[in-house]
Amino acid sequence: MIEPAALPAHLLPSVRVAVRSAMLRAGVESLLAAAGLSVQSSDHTETDVLIVDDTWLADPDALADALAASGAIVALGAGAW
């Protein structure tokens, strides 16, 4: 079996993880970093992808603001998304 060629780092999306649980955040960031993605820790850094959890459902205005600084959102959690 032939391994697929890895993409150059500059072609991979940058990601910010914004979840309430510090333990979950650390785990998700660790997995993303291991996959070679650029994980941003600053709330004020523009990223390609924002990963959120259910706590964002309660504040749609904050979610809209966060989406303005990101190209896509990935939601972890309930089926309410």
Side-chain angles (χ1 to χ4, degrees):
M1 182 173 191
I2 298 173
E3 290 281 327
L7 289 174
H10 71 279
L11 294 178
L12 295 173
S14 60
V15 181
R16 181 167 66 96
V17 180
V19 297
R20 178 180 287 180
S21 166
M23 188 185 280
L24 176 60
R25 184 179 327 111
V28 171
E29 287 177 348
S30 177
L31 288 171
L32 295 171
L37 298 174
S38 171
V39 179
Q40 307 296 318
S41 58
S42 172
D43 289 346
H44 304 291
T45 303
E46 286 191 17
T47 57
D48 299 314
V49 179
L50 174 65
I51 297 178
V52 299
D53 62 4
D54 291 342
T55 59
W56 288 80
L57 284 173
D59 194 353
D61 292 333
L63 184 59
D65 291 343
L67 181 57
S70 298
I73 289 186
V74 174
L76 303 175
W81 288 98

